[in-house]
Amino acid sequence: MKYLSFFCFAGLIGLLAISAVQARDLGEGAVNDSPSRALQNSEHFYEIWSGVGHLSLQSGESCSAVLLDTRNRQGRATGPAYLLTSGHCVFFEYGSARANLPLKASVTFHYFHDTPQRKRRYAIRTARWSSLVGTDLAVLEVDATLASLIQAGVNPLKLASHQTYERQDALNIGAPGGFTEQGLRLSACAEQTAGTFIDHPGVFPLAMKNSCDLHAGSSGSPMLNRRTNEITGIVSKVVASRNTPAPPDCEHSTSCTAARFNYSYSANFLHKCFIDGVFTRDGADCSLEPVELTVTEPWKLKSYVHGTQNAKGQIVLPTWDFRFSLEAPFYRYKTVSNARDCQAPDNYSAATSAEDAYINTEIGPQNGAHALCIIGVASGEQQLTRATLNNVFTSAVYLSPTPDTTLQTTSR
C-alpha cells in the first residue's frame, strides 16, 4: 500500500510540475552557452524531465534518450513505451536505415545524481527504426507499456507540433558522462538551422546547430523549447573541443567554424507514425522503409567545388561525380539550392536503374550551396509521395566561381 501511495504522490507532483511549465522559465534564468549544471531532484522539482534517460548499450557505450508522449487524443496511454535517440547510437552506417533491429540495451529513468534510490532501469525490446539517411534518429521500444511508466512517475515528453528554422532559445537535458555527479544535466543555448551546406563531416543538410555545453554521452538527448518543453530535436554530433580555445584564424575557416557547434535533427515528422499509441512505420503518412545507400569512396567527395576555364575562355561547371550503390533496383534524384526542397516531390528525375549508379550532372550555375537528393524506388513506375520522401538521402557542396584559399577542399 505504501508503494501505491508513493506512486500516487509522485504522479501528483509530476502533474503539478507539468502544469507549472507555462508559468516559469524552464531554464531558470540560465544564460545561453553557460556551463551545464547537474539537476538535483530531491524535492521533485524536475519531475518534468524524469523521462530523459541514460541509454546503456551492449557495446559498453552510452547515449541519452527521451520517452515519447504517444498518448491518444483522449489522453490515454494505450501502447508500448517508445524512446527517441540518435540513430548512430543503435546502428552506425552512413546512408542506411534499418527497421526492427534486435537491440540489447537498457534505459535508466529518474536519472538524477542526488536521488539514486529512485532510478528505474528498463530493458529495450528492439529498435523499431534507426536511420542515418539524411537524419540521425532512432525509435526504440521499451519492454514496458507507456501507461506503466507514467504510473511509475516517469513523465514522457511531446514532440514539437511543427518544425521551425528560426533562431530560438532552447534547453538540452541529457545524461553525459565524465562528471562526478552522474545524472541529468541542463544546458541553455540558442538553436538555429545550420542550412543546406554544413562544412562538417557526417552532418546532413538541414541539421540544427547550437552551442550548448554538451559532452560525450549527450548524443540522443532532446533539445527542448525553453517555454513549452516540447522536443525540437535530438542531438546527433557533439563538439569535441568546446572548452578549448579556437585555433588562430578559426573564423576564417568554415571547417573550423562548423566544428565548433553541436548538431541535432528534428523529429516532429514522426507525429504521423504513431497510430493509437503504436509505432506504425508503413502507415498512410509515414513511410520509413529500410534503406541501403553506400557512397563509393566517400573520402574522395569534395565539399567545395568551383568552375574552370577552358581553352576558349568559357567557364566549365563542375559535376557531381557521385558514385553509389543502392539496394533498391531504381532511384530518382534532383539537385536543389535549398535542401528543404528535397522533401518536395516535384522535379525529381525519371526512375533510373541502380546498377552502377552514377550521378554526374553539372553543379550550378548559381554560386553557393547545392544539395543532391536521392530516393530509392521499387519500380520505374513508382510515384513519390510525401511519405516516401521521408527516406531521401542528401549530400551538399558549395560552388564558388574560383578556388578560394580560405575554403579548403575537404573530405566528407
Side-chain angles (χ1 to χ4, degrees), residues 134-150:
T135 189
D136 184 6
L137 294 170
V139 177
L140 313 183
E141 184 174 333
V142 183
D143 191 14
T145 64
L146 179 59
S148 67
L149 292 187
I150 292 174

Side-chain angles (χ1 to χ4, degrees), residues 145-191:
T145 64
L146 179 59
S148 67
L149 292 187
I150 292 174
Q151 186 179 15
V154 182
N155 291 306
L157 295 179
K158 291 183 178 293
L159 289 168
S161 56
H162 67 281
Q163 171 66 16
T164 178
Y165 296 100
E166 302 298 325
R167 180 183 174 91
Q168 64 177 0
D169 287 336
L171 299 175
N172 174 270
I173 306 296
F179 292 91
T180 303
E181 302 154 318
Q182 295 186 16
L184 295 182
R185 301 185 71 84
L186 177 148
S187 180
C189 57
E191 184 180 42

Side-chain angles (χ1 to χ4, degrees), residues 28-297:
E28 299 176 320
V31 177
N32 283 348
D33 304 338
S34 60
S36 65
R37 65 178 177 87
L39 295 177
Q40 299 186 33
N41 196 43
S42 58
E43 296 183 5
H44 304 276
F45 195 61
Y46 298 112
E47 289 298 314
I48 56 172
W49 295 319
S50 59
V52 179
H54 179 264
L55 185 64
S56 300
L57 304 164
Q58 187 179 24
S59 64
E61 299 293 322
S62 64
C63 285
S64 300
V66 58
L67 180 65
L68 282 178
D69 190 341
T70 56
R71 284 174 284 195
N72 61 24
R73 293 180 179 178
Q74 290 74 42
R76 296 178 58 198
T78 58
Y82 296 100
L83 298 177
L84 199 56
T85 188
S86 294
H88 76 261
C89 293
V90 176
F91 181 78
F92 191 91
E93 189 169 310
Y94 186 71
S96 292
R98 300 291 178 89
N100 299 323
L101 275 174
L103 184 64
K104 290 186 177 180
S106 63
V107 62
T108 302
F109 295 119
H110 282 289
Y111 196 68
F112 300 98
H113 77 95
D114 63 329
T115 55
Q117 71 281 3
R118 293 197 62 206
K119 291 180 179 179
R120 296 291 182 269
R121 188 172 183 175
Y122 298 85
I124 306 297
R125 289 176 181 265
T126 183
R128 286 299 176 198
W129 175 71
S130 180
S131 178
L132 279 169
V133 183
T135 189
D136 184 6
L137 294 170
V139 177
L140 313 183
E141 184 174 333
V142 183
D143 191 14
T145 64
L146 179 59
S148 67
L149 292 187
I150 292 174
Q151 186 179 15
V154 182
N155 291 306
L157 295 179
K158 291 183 178 293
L159 289 168
S161 56
H162 67 281
Q163 171 66 16
T164 178
Y165 296 100
E166 302 298 325
R167 180 183 174 91
Q168 64 177 0
D169 287 336
L171 299 175
N172 174 270
I173 306 296
F179 292 91
T180 303
E181 302 154 318
Q182 295 186 16
L184 295 182
R185 301 185 71 84
L186 177 148
S187 180
C189 57
E191 184 180 42
Q192 61 187 319
T193 180
T196 293
F197 178 74
I198 306 162
D199 192 18
H200 195 309
V203 178
F204 292 102
L206 293 189
M208 302 295 287
K209 66 180 182 179
N210 69 74
S211 296
C212 273
D213 181 24
L214 306 186
H215 300 265
S218 292
S219 288
S221 62
M223 298 299 298
L224 303 171
N225 184 296
R226 189 162 175 158
R227 295 179 297 102
T228 67
N229 205 37
E230 293 179 328
I231 301 169
T232 61
I234 295 296
V235 171
S236 168
K237 192 173 282 286
V238 176
V239 62
S241 56
R242 182 181 187 273
N243 296 322
T244 303
D249 297 324
C250 182
E251 67 274 14
H252 299 301
S253 167
T254 56
S255 296
C256 181
T257 301
R260 306 292 295 183
F261 289 97
N262 310 304
Y263 294 90
S264 61
Y265 294 95
S266 169
N268 67 301
F269 67 93
L270 292 173
H271 271 298
K272 297 180 180 179
C273 300
F274 293 93
I275 301 175
D276 292 328
V278 177
F279 181 69
T280 308
R281 63 179 178 81
D282 55 355
D285 295 311
C286 176
S287 179
L288 300 175
E289 297 301 323
V291 177
E292 293 293 339
L293 188 152
T294 303
V295 180
T296 306
E297 298 182 327

Side-chain angles (χ1 to χ4, degrees), residues 317-373:
L317 293 173
T319 61
W320 283 98
D321 190 23
F322 194 85
R323 295 183 183 276
F324 61 101
S325 60
L326 192 64
E327 189 173 78
F330 298 90
Y331 69 91
R332 297 178 65 181
Y333 79 97
K334 68 178 178 180
T335 60
V336 295
S337 58
N338 188 331
R340 295 185 211 174
D341 295 332
C342 287
Q343 298 174 343
D346 54 306
N347 299 324
Y348 271 90
S349 69
T352 303
S353 171
E355 186 175 354
D356 298 321
Y358 183 45
I359 297 174
N360 201 36
T361 54
E362 289 183 340
I363 301 172
Q366 295 83 11
N367 294 324
H370 293 268
L372 178 63
C373 325

